[in-house]
Amino acid sequence: MDCIFCKIINKEIPSKIIYEDDHVILFEDINPQAPFHALALPKVHIPTILELKPEHSVYLYKVVETIAKVMKEKGYSEDGFRVVLNTNRAAGQTVFHIHFHVLAGRLLMWPPG
Ligand code: AMP
Ligand code: ZN
């Protein structure tokens, strides 16, 4: 499948992996927008949340659970962090495999641009 994130999951493209298990992978964003910027994604190809099905539940739960665990371990949970999921063109989605941006390490403005 011609999906850059599936290729990262399958180790056809290198990435700086922070955590992975059977359902989830979390790796560093190649173009970081904060001192900590990771992408957390399910190890199943779902283009956007618009295609989400009940059988994906365990994957999505584990992605969010992993984000919480990693951010606690890295010491970002008390100050806080941001999780962003861009969907389709107006939100700037460029890779069509569901991924959560996880940003931390600086004050994050609201509303985002
Ligand atoms: P989005 O615009 O929400 O679809 O985000 C796609 C993100 O993937 C961007 O922040 C890119 O910097 C990031 N990205 C693209 N290719 C790679 C790669 N090979 N390794 C790590 N991050 C990537
Ligand atoms: Zn994919």
Side-chain angles (χ1 to χ4, degrees):
M1 187 185 296
D2 197 23
C3 167
I4 189 169
F5 287 173
C6 283
K7 286 179 181 162
I8 286 176
I9 290 166
N10 295 327
K11 312 282 163 43
E12 292 163 33
I13 293 178
S15 69
K16 292 187 179 166
I17 296 171
I18 298 166
Y19 174 87
E20 76 173 314
D21 61 27
D22 288 348
H23 292 88
V24 179
I25 187 166
L26 203 136
F27 55 87
E28 291 180 17
D29 195 295
I30 205 166
N31 181 24
Q33 302 301 313
F36 179 90
H37 185 174
L39 300 174
L41 42 137
K43 282 190 172 178
V44 59
H45 184 82
I46 315 164
T48 78
I49 57 166
L50 302 169
E51 288 82 30
L52 206 57
K53 297 194 173 78
E55 59 261 35
H56 299 137
S57 300
V58 64
Y59 285 91
L60 268 290
Y61 175 78
K62 284 180 183 260
V63 171
V64 176
E65 182 189 47
T66 298
I67 292 170
K69 269 189 202 153
V70 168
M71 296 314 269
K72 282 180 197 161
E73 280 168 17
K74 293 203 169 284
Y76 290 121
S77 56
E78 198 173 312
D79 264 3
F81 58 93
R82 183 166 292 160
V83 180
V84 175
L85 196 162
N86 295 322
T87 300
N88 279 345
R89 183 184 51 81
Q93 186 178 6
T94 58
V95 180
F96 287 82
H97 179 132
I98 289 178
H99 54 280
F100 294 89
H101 295 258
V102 186
L103 301 144
R106 65 171 171 85
L107 194 59
L108 298 159
M109 297 303 142
W110 194 263

